[in-house]
Amino acid sequence: MMDFFGPEEGHYALALACVLAFCQGIAPFLKRQGRPSFFSPLTPGFAWAHALALLLAFMCLMLAALRDDFSVQNIAENSALAKPLFYKITGIWGNHEGSILLWIVLLSLCSACVSFIHTRHQNPLSRLKRHALGVLGLISAGFDLFCLLTSNPFARLFPMPADGMGMNPLLQDPGLAVHPPLLYAGYVGFVVPFAFAIAALIDGQLTRLWATLVRPWVLAAWALLTCGIALGSWWSYYVLGWGGYWFWDPVENASLIPWLSGTALLHSILVVEKRQSLRIWTALLALATFSFSLSGTFLVRSGILNSVHSFANDPTRGVFILTLLALVVGGALTLFAWRAPSLHDESSFTPLSRESALVLNTLFLCSLCAVVLTGTLYPPFIQLLLGHTLSVGKPFFDSTTIPLTIPLLIAMGIGPALPWLHGSLRTICKRLYPAFLCTCAACIPAFVFLPDRMAALCAVLALWVISSSVLALFHQLRVATHPFRLSRKIWGMTLAHIGVGVTILGLCGMSAAHHTIVAPRLGEHQSLDGLDWQLVSVTDHPGPNYDARVAELRVSRHGHPIAQLHPALRVFSHPHQTISQVAIRSFLTGDLYAVLGSTEHEGQETRYILRLHHNPLAPWIWLGGLIMAGGGLMACPFGRKHTQGTPS
Amino acid sequence: MTLTRRHILAALPLTGAAALGLGFQHILSSMKTGQFDPRAIRTSGEAVPQFPPLSPLPGLKGTIEGIECTSLTQQNKPILLNFWASWCIPCVTELPLLSALAPSLTLWGIAYKDRPERASAFLTRNGQPFERVGQDKDGTAAIEWGVTGVPESILILPGGHVVWHHRAALTHEVITHDLLPLLRPFL
Amino acid sequence: MRFFHSFFLTVLLLSPAASYAVDDPKELLPNPQQEQEAEQIGQQLRCLVCQNESIEESSAPLARDLRKIVRQQLTQGRQKSDILAWMSHRYGNFIQLKPVFNSETALLWLMPFLALGSACALSYRLWFKRPMQARSLQDTALKKD
């Protein structure tokens, strides 16, 4: 039957998922005569069933989209008959309801994976796991209800329209197929450390074992979030055609804040694992990171923040969200306020040790996080308290966050060279002096080529990070018997640090970017940054659901052709909108970037308005992001069993 | 560290989150009643700005003067200055409200970035509540007034004091709650 | 403004407005140094009808008008601070993407120092205030790894 797995089945599966999530949430906490009840061992089963039900609901929505079932409101509003098949699928998470469904699907998959962790029966870790599953279940139940009650993707429309309203052409892009799922997976992934932190606070079992158990999840979520952010910024770079890559917009900040606190968590959890110290701080970071992700994903949808990325704002939805947030975040922080004072750290630190470097790094990251958070929330709160409006934008963030990154970068270079417990200044100097010399040598070209002093300084420090990371790796390799014996942790750490350096070099290169707006006739030459740009032809091409006007540009240096660019303007008929298709040619040294504007007629002459950019080192920004994410994944010690746990 | 100090420190995140949550709750509830607009702009301009004289709109019934700075400051009655355009849909719905206000309040209109023939046809078709109408063809006067789009309304009291700037279409609620109380001494 | 608003409401998930300010090159200043200065000033000014974009990045008509004014005033020899003041006088502090330091924005601007200060205080406590103890226990714990 074709009608099988229609929207009604999806709706039912969603409702069933709510019930299953609720069961998963309460089962581990049920007690009978002081012992876990009969339902308690069923918790992993509930988690699996919950994930399956939500996957079924998701599949039903996807089938409805593929079948062009415009009786479903969500499909009618965001799809159309003429939309290409690929975007019918990716369009599911291109709107509020669908993205919420994707969010809860990912959340349920997380708890299904947690239930997969193998622990021996009656061991303290198995208790921890059960409680964490319970917390995950309760959170899932809340958000399943949110999806079902306020943003139901299966809501019906009557009478059924003959065709849908179509999707915003800006969203019809392959980048958007992967960006939201990765970003959401990153956001949602931090729920696992959150749930385990709560379970540990309940049990009072915040031990080294706890850290070993949670660290892979932090790494995986962090890597996914890094990937998601990098993709998002790349998407805005090549789709929006404004030549930039980061708006410092509330929505972007909403992803950057959990990334910063997640990075801090990543480092502080290492201290817990090695030294069983810094436990309160780590628990707080675990709680804060997921709270930031939650607030980021959901407050954006309430219309409070003044953002370029605009969802269909709905204050009534906002009230539900706020209640949920108050329950999840408020509950977690209350537990923290109650239980954290009883956690005592035994060990002390010497200033010159690996753990001190990690603490310092965590503190710098948290300072950055605090600045971004304040900047994002300042305008609405000033308006609320004083009734005045003000804007906090890119110039503010640039001038405050860049100086804060400088000490972070310096510390990043020194940290990996320090030994645990206590190091001596002499050994460190001895170990780092080649990197230091390399950095000093880089000063001259950096300050000559980069017009901006701050950018030059950052570039130098990025080189410092890269060279000292490579040095630290060499040192480790010399000590290790065989390169493959070297732990993946060290490879991952080095990679991730090199990734940070590469990204920062890219950002610094972009500070020397140049652009110009020109209106050439056919065949005319323009010059920008020593390159010659010739407009060869402009032709019209029909596309699947648009008509395109494509220009051909030939770029050459000293007479040698180096690239051909085809910027285009696409006129979509459904909905009627004109979208500029940016042409980018990436080299390792930078990007050539061209945007086609309108056409001007002056008597007999026709001129085409073009915006040409030369962006040095631009691809490095995203390349660095990918390297960071790769490093994070590499360091993930998945597959290691956690059964050897004995109560410590 | 004493026990109490540890407890206070541990409760700090909760207090912070609670404060933020209360703030958000307040913002959401006032957004629902329309009192909180995250995009509202407030200016402190008390005096009428210097703007180029705006030529009268041809094609209207009767002789209707244009608008210039001096005539606006020399009035001895309150004036509601309204920026509008024939291409603006909310302006159409706003016009009947303005017409209802016209007997009790002097209205001056400024056609923002509009062609004169379209602007006059628009007023002839939808009703003409304005005592004077000026043309702001390139939008420079609008920028002097700090106007971001149409429709926007500004209340000027005798002596050229700008007391009220509304950055959206007027509604019945806005007129009764915000505008009329300001006019009470002059009615 | 309302038009823009309703337009933005229809733009869904992670979709900034189509923002490509490809305008008439005749509007650019002939002197590249002056043009660069104009861009720098424009990047400090918010496009009022868009969301969180500067007037340099926006394709909205009002942003275009403001861009023209910035260039006009620069050719008249006015300074950056004068132009920013001129804009703030008309559109309020809302137009400045980099808020001016005053009693209202003090907390915002002092936040980096506050954050770094408390970070320093915390690390000082951690390093110098805690009693050294259980060193040998940790050493054995580390050797196990």
Side-chain angles (χ1 to χ4, degrees):
Chain A
M1 279 292 283
M2 263 298 282
D3 287 352
F4 218 61
F5 297 127
E8 287 316 316
E9 281 86 345
H11 198 173
Y12 175 74
L14 188 56
L16 181 69
C18 280
V19 178
L20 287 169
F22 193 66
C23 292
Q24 180 196 333
I26 52 166
F29 299 109
L30 287 180
K31 290 262 162 68
R32 209 183 51 191
Q33 291 153 7
R35 305 195 56 189
S37 81
F38 160 76
F39 291 105
S40 185
L42 291 180
T43 315
F46 284 131
W48 275 104
H50 172 226
L52 284 178
L54 278 179
L55 278 176
L56 181 70
F58 193 73
M59 197 185 75
C60 291
L61 189 64
M62 191 179 283
L63 281 177
L66 290 178
R67 287 174 187 153
D68 294 317
D69 187 350
F70 297 127
S71 71
V72 180
Q73 195 183 355
N74 182 35
I75 311 274
E77 279 171 5
N78 299 295
S79 189
L81 289 173
K83 195 162 86 170
L85 179 73
F86 180 67
Y87 297 123
K88 279 182 184 166
I89 299 173
T90 64
I92 292 174
W93 50 82
N95 56 72
H96 169 76
E97 287 82 7
S99 61
I100 292 286
L101 185 62
L102 177 69
W103 204 91
I104 56 176
V105 167
L106 290 169
L107 184 57
S108 72
L109 287 177
C110 270
S111 47
C113 289
V114 168
S115 70
F116 203 62
I117 299 175
H118 183 71
T119 49
R120 210 178 282 156
H121 197 55
Q122 289 310 323
N123 146 335
L125 277 186
S126 109
R127 214 170 106 90
L128 198 67
K129 182 186 114 178
R130 267 208 319 277
H131 283 171
L133 271 177
V135 174
L136 282 168
L138 288 176
I139 295 172
S140 300
F143 286 96
D144 290 2
L145 266 182
F146 171 68
C147 184
L148 192 66
L149 297 182
T150 69
S151 16
N152 185 358
F154 299 104
R156 292 296 193 120
L157 201 60
F158 185 82
M160 175 177 153
D163 195 359
M165 301 210 280
M167 187 186 181
N168 183 340
L170 276 174
L171 305 182
Q172 301 194 17
D173 182 272
L176 205 77
V178 261
H179 161 61
L182 275 177
L183 193 69
Y184 286 4
Y187 277 153
V188 168
F190 281 113
V191 78
V192 181
F194 177 87
F196 272 101
I198 288 189
L201 284 174
I202 293 174
D203 295 355
Q205 290 280 344
L206 214 118
T207 55
R208 301 176 58 208
L209 221 55
W210 175 88
T212 321
L213 186 71
V214 172
R215 205 170 58 85
W217 295 93
V218 179
L219 276 166
W222 179 85
L224 288 168
L225 189 61
T226 310
C227 243
I229 294 175
L231 259 172
S233 123
W234 182 61
W235 179 76
S236 98
Y237 174 74
Y238 86 88
V239 167
L240 298 181
W242 61 301
Y245 48 88
W246 193 262
F247 277 96
W248 285 107
D249 176 81
V251 173
E252 289 170 334
N253 293 350
S255 65
L256 190 64
I257 292 167
W259 186 83
L260 287 169
S261 68
T263 316
L265 171 64
L266 195 65
H267 290 92
S268 74
I269 209 167
L270 278 170
V271 183
V272 182
E273 198 179 358
K274 282 277 182 192
R275 299 277 318 262
Q276 193 154 328
S277 193
L278 218 63
R279 295 190 298 168
I280 299 177
W281 187 238
T282 307
L284 182 62
L285 279 176
L287 298 184
T289 305
F290 182 63
S291 304
F292 285 143
S293 323
L294 261 189
S295 321
T297 1
F298 289 95
L299 282 179
V300 164
R301 293 155 198 268
S302 61
I304 290 174
L305 299 170
N306 205 342
S307 146
V308 235
H309 306 253
S310 195
F311 286 86
N313 296 333
D314 180 1
T316 43
R317 216 177 250 159
V319 175
F320 198 119
I321 291 169
L322 210 57
T323 319
L324 263 179
L325 280 180
L327 284 176
V328 176
V329 180
L333 290 179
T334 311
L335 185 70
F336 177 81
W338 176 38
R339 299 304 292 260
S342 61
L343 291 173
H344 285 277
D345 289 343
E346 297 106 29
S347 42
S348 60
F349 294 170
T350 52
L352 215 62
S353 62
R354 175 75 71 83
E355 50 270 45
S356 285
L358 287 170
V359 170
L360 213 58
N361 155 302
T362 309
L363 290 174
F364 284 141
L365 281 167
C366 290
S367 307
L368 263 176
C369 189
V371 168
V372 179
L373 188 69
T374 319
T376 314
L377 292 182
Y378 213 72
F381 274 84
I382 279 294
Q383 198 181 352
L384 180 73
L385 296 174
L386 304 172
H388 297 189
T389 44
L390 53 91
S391 300
V392 178
K394 191 171 161 39
F396 168 82
F397 287 109
D398 281 348
S399 60
T400 47
T401 51
I402 296 174
L404 273 180
T405 353
I406 287 170
L408 183 67
L409 291 176
I410 297 174
M412 250 175 92
I414 302 170
L418 286 168
W420 291 92
L421 288 174
H422 34 77
S424 82
L425 201 59
R426 257 186 73 187
T427 11
I428 293 150
C429 291
K430 227 162 109 189
R431 209 191 271 180
L432 282 178
Y433 85 94
F436 186 71
L437 287 182
C438 176
T439 312
C440 288
C443 279
I444 302 155
F447 280 94
V448 168
F449 287 115
L450 290 173
D452 185 43
R453 290 276 162 78
M454 208 49 145
L457 181 61
C458 284
V460 169
L461 288 175
L463 272 175
W464 159 248
V465 169
I466 295 175
S467 52
S468 57
S469 305
V470 173
L471 261 185
L473 182 70
F474 272 131
H475 179 77
Q476 296 280 355
L477 280 175
R478 237 191 358 225
V479 176
T481 45
H482 191 273
F484 293 110
R485 287 277 173 80
L486 200 58
S487 81
R488 286 197 306 186
K489 207 157 129 189
I490 288 164
W491 281 106
M493 185 262 288
T494 311
L495 258 187
H497 282 190
I498 290 174
V500 173
V502 170
T503 296
I504 288 186
L505 279 179
L507 297 177
C508 295
M510 270 298 263
S511 74
H514 286 124
H515 75 267
T516 178
I517 300 173
V518 290
R521 281 168 300 213
L522 280 184
E524 221 168 19
H525 292 263
Q526 304 287 342
S527 76
L528 170 69
D529 275 1
L531 297 167
D532 177 76
W533 309 59
Q534 187 194 10
L535 179 65
V536 180
S537 68
V538 177
T539 44
D540 287 336
H541 290 288
N545 51 349
Y546 57 83
D547 287 314
R549 159 163 293 181
V550 185
E552 186 183 331
L553 276 168
R554 214 168 273 165
V555 188
S556 48
R557 179 184 277 135
H558 310 306
H560 298 288
I562 53 171
Q564 275 196 343
L565 295 170
H566 296 102
L569 269 185
R570 287 184 180 174
V571 181
F572 284 79
S573 51
H574 203 104
H576 188 80
Q577 214 171 328
T578 307
I579 297 295
S580 176
Q581 191 77 14
V582 183
I584 302 175
R585 178 77 167 81
S586 290
F587 297 94
L588 204 58
T589 51
D591 274 357
L592 304 175
Y593 185 109
V595 191
L596 180 62
S598 55
T599 310
E600 270 192 1
H601 300 281
E602 271 176 30
Q604 294 287 311
E605 272 181 3
T606 314
R607 289 174 172 274
Y608 299 92
I609 295 185
L610 283 164
R611 195 151 43 87
L612 309 173
H613 291 251
H614 178 236
N615 298 336
L617 302 188
W620 291 35
I621 299 174
W622 303 286
L623 185 72
L626 285 183
I627 297 177
M628 271 187 251
L633 285 180
M634 196 166 189
C636 254
F638 273 123
R640 218 190 270 166
K641 281 189 182 165
H642 301 287
T643 46
Q644 60 272 58
T646 44
S648 47
Chain B
M1 223 184 238
T2 58
L3 195 73
T4 43
R5 200 145 133 216
R6 279 179 82 85
H7 280 94
I8 291 169
L9 277 179
L12 267 183
L14 180 64
T15 347
L20 287 184
L22 279 179
F24 282 132
Q25 196 267 332
H26 199 84
I27 292 175
L28 272 176
S29 57
S30 42
M31 257 167 91
K32 253 196 275 181
T33 54
Q35 285 167 346
F36 184 93
D37 176 10
R39 298 152 53 78
I41 309 164
R42 280 173 213 212
T43 45
S44 51
E46 287 103 13
V48 166
Q50 293 291 321
F51 60 94
L54 306 172
S55 60
L57 188 64
L60 288 177
K61 242 190 270 172
T63 46
I64 288 180
E65 289 177 80
I67 297 171
E68 70 274 353
C69 228
T70 43
S71 61
L72 196 59
T73 47
Q74 281 161 7
Q75 296 293 324
N76 52 8
K77 56 190 177 186
I79 291 174
L80 189 72
L81 195 65
N82 182 258
F83 282 82
W84 58 276
S86 66
W87 44 263
C88 141
I89 299 163
C91 296
V92 184
T93 53
E94 196 190 40
L95 263 183
L97 288 168
L98 289 174
S99 299
L101 267 177
S104 50
L105 175 65
T106 314
L107 301 173
W108 290 13
I110 295 179
Y112 174 71
K113 289 194 175 179
D114 212 346
R115 284 201 214 144
E117 63 276 10
R118 287 201 184 163
S120 54
F122 177 79
L123 286 188
T124 321
R125 193 171 61 237
N126 297 304
Q128 210 287 79
F130 302 118
E131 190 190 86
R132 291 187 182 204
V133 180
Q135 296 183 56
D136 182 21
K137 278 185 197 151
D138 54 358
T140 40
I143 289 176
E144 293 290 346
W145 280 97
V147 164
T148 58
V150 279
E152 286 191 23
S153 306
I154 299 156
L155 183 67
I156 300 130
L157 293 187
H161 299 292
V162 179
V163 288
W164 186 67
H165 190 152
H166 186 64
R167 294 182 186 271
L170 293 172
T171 58
H172 199 69
E173 288 76 40
V174 170
I175 290 173
T176 46
H177 287 127
D178 300 349
L179 181 60
L180 291 183
L182 289 169
L183 287 172
R184 206 154 285 147
F186 302 93
L187 288 175
Chain C
M1 182 182 176
R2 300 304 116 186
F3 285 120
F4 280 100
H5 213 126
S6 56
F7 167 71
F8 276 107
L9 291 186
T10 56
V11 178
L12 290 169
L13 181 78
L14 303 178
S15 60
S19 52
Y20 40 94
V22 188
D23 279 330
D24 198 350
K26 283 177 215 132
E27 285 170 14
L28 303 184
L29 294 176
N31 179 351
Q33 221 160 14
Q34 225 172 21
E35 170 61 28
Q36 206 182 354
E37 203 185 334
E39 270 167 36
Q40 268 171 9
I41 296 171
Q43 277 160 6
Q44 305 266 319
L45 294 170
R46 182 189 193 125
C47 163
L48 297 144
V49 291
C50 334
Q51 306 220 21
N52 235 12
E53 275 176 300
S54 76
I55 58 167
E56 278 306 311
E57 290 147 11
S58 169
S59 55
L62 182 66
R64 194 173 178 170
D65 290 349
L66 293 180
R67 276 204 295 272
K68 270 188 218 160
I69 286 178
V70 168
R71 281 163 176 78
Q72 230 171 36
Q73 297 200 349
L74 259 184
T75 44
Q76 286 163 6
R78 301 189 68 176
Q79 296 300 308
K80 178 179 171 179
S81 54
D82 298 339
I83 299 175
L84 290 181
W86 191 92
M87 291 285 178
S88 300
H89 181 69
R90 275 148 192 84
Y91 287 102
N93 283 334
F94 189 65
I95 199 167
Q96 295 208 30
L97 282 170
K98 188 174 181 174
V100 279
F101 184 84
N102 54 28
S103 56
E104 253 173 53
T105 56
L107 183 64
L108 180 70
W109 279 108
L110 293 179
M111 197 60 210
F113 301 102
L114 279 177
L116 268 186
S118 33
C120 289
L122 267 174
S123 43
Y124 176 78
R125 285 199 72 82
L126 217 56
W127 289 334
F128 301 110
K129 281 288 174 77
R130 262 198 208 160
M132 304 284 252
Q133 53 173 258
R135 168 64 53 79
S136 59
L137 199 126
Q138 289 151 20
D139 281 333
T140 48
L142 277 173
K143 268 169 202 145
K144 256 182 12 189
D145 287 308

